[in-house]
Amino acid sequence: EAGVVQSPRYKIIEKKQPVAFWCNPISGHNTLYWYLQNLGQGPELLIRYENEEAVDDSQLPKDRFSAERLKGVDSTLKIQPAELGDSAVYLCASSLESGTGGSSYNEQFFGPGTRLTVL
Amino acid sequence: RKEVEQDPGPFNVPEGATVAFNCTYSNSASQSFFWYRQDCRKEPKLLMSVYSSGNEDGRFTAQLNRASQYISLLIRDSKLSDSATYLCVVTRGGYQKVTFGTGTKLQVIP
């Protein structure tokens, strides 16, 4: 079974440029997460989707970051414009949540991440 | 204060040693607890869930202390392959808000 797919794996851009990351979750997984991970830190949640609905985007810097999961399958995370401090690894994860309102927690499977460098 | 805190380490231990990590959480409403493992430049992977009664999986033992609001991970008979960063994960709320700790780095030396 294919795991979570992310592309690109690496991206180098100059500041103020736009950038987009793509994630395809494990087939059948209804919940999708985008995380940001800085060196030496744990993953920090940016946004969580239940199907096509963003149920937690409280940590997403909405002035420059946006995300979509239009058909409840794959997802895109965009930064426009990128800043030097956005250099990090962007991880996508998916899980199959059961129960109303996501009341249960099931294992998250992570993709390999996209390593972004902003110059 | 961070919601989930871990000692970043590194913990350098010889092969065969026993090592333990703690993770403290600040929100008493936290509901579920997990340990994830992350190898260098790789993605995190679930190591084990942490149950109130404690649980064991081979050389790994996880425990939860709700009164003191911490979880622990004990690794017995450390192997070189155990070298990794161990991330504590805490969830709470109706949509199971997920918070990762900063991770504890373990280096097992021959």
Side-chain angles (χ1 to χ4, degrees):
Chain A
E1 180 182 332
V4 176
V5 178
Q6 289 189 248
S7 68
R9 291 293 311 279
Y10 304 90
K11 189 73 176 179
I12 301 174
I13 61 171
E14 293 187 344
K15 63 181 180 182
K16 300 185 181 179
Q17 295 300 304
V19 64
F21 314 125
W22 178 78
C23 172
N24 195 28
I26 291 173
S27 178
H29 279 193
N30 55 353
T31 303
L32 184 147
Y33 308 76
W34 281 104
Y35 290 91
L36 174 156
Q37 186 172 26
N38 287 302
L39 188 65
Q41 300 295 314
E44 299 172 31
L45 182 68
L46 291 172
I47 189 167
R48 170 179 174 161
Y49 283 95
E50 297 281 344
N51 300 303
E52 59 277 350
E53 181 185 2
V55 298
D56 184 357
D57 64 355
S58 57
Q59 301 302 310
L60 189 72
K62 298 180 182 64
D63 57 336
R64 297 185 301 107
F65 286 65
S66 64
E68 60 183 17
R69 192 185 185 201
L70 294 177
K71 297 183 179 179
V73 182
D74 58 340
S75 175
T76 302
L77 177 69
K78 297 179 181 177
I79 308 175
Q80 184 170 11
E83 296 179 352
L84 295 176
D86 297 332
S87 296
V89 176
Y90 291 82
L91 292 164
C92 178
S94 71
S95 65
L96 179 60
E97 300 296 330
S98 58
T100 303
S103 58
S104 65
Y105 174 89
N106 290 298
E107 178 181 357
Q108 293 185 40
F109 293 85
F110 284 81
T114 296
R115 186 174 298 274
L116 173 67
T117 301
V118 182
L119 303 175
Chain B
R1 182 184 175 189
K2 289 185 177 181
E3 186 165 346
V4 179
E5 295 197 73
Q6 295 182 252
D7 181 342
F11 285 60
N12 297 312
V13 302
E15 269 187 291
T18 295
V19 61
F21 313 132
N22 281 346
C23 165
T24 60
Y25 59 95
S26 61
N27 195 315
S28 60
S30 298
Q31 296 166 275
S32 303
F33 309 87
F34 307 86
W35 285 102
Y36 273 69
R37 171 191 169 131
Q38 187 171 26
D39 292 301
C40 187
R41 301 179 76 87
K42 298 287 188 181
E43 69 273 21
K45 293 182 179 179
L46 179 67
L47 178 65
M48 58 196 305
S49 303
V50 187
Y51 304 122
S52 297
S53 55
N55 49 304
E56 188 173 310
D57 183 3
R59 298 181 293 107
F60 297 82
T61 301
Q63 291 190 313
L64 166 64
N65 186 317
R66 285 193 182 273
S68 299
Q69 295 185 193
Y70 74 87
I71 67 172
S72 64
L73 177 67
L74 181 78
I75 305 175
R76 290 180 299 277
D77 189 22
S78 298
K79 311 291 185 190
L80 295 176
S81 57
D82 294 334
S83 298
T85 296
Y86 292 83
L87 297 159
C88 165
V89 178
V90 174
T91 76
R92 61 176 172 88
Y95 276 105
Q96 293 293 306
K97 179 177 173 62
V98 179
T99 304
F100 280 76
T102 55
T104 296
K105 187 173 182 178
L106 171 66
Q107 185 69 44
V108 181
I109 52 181

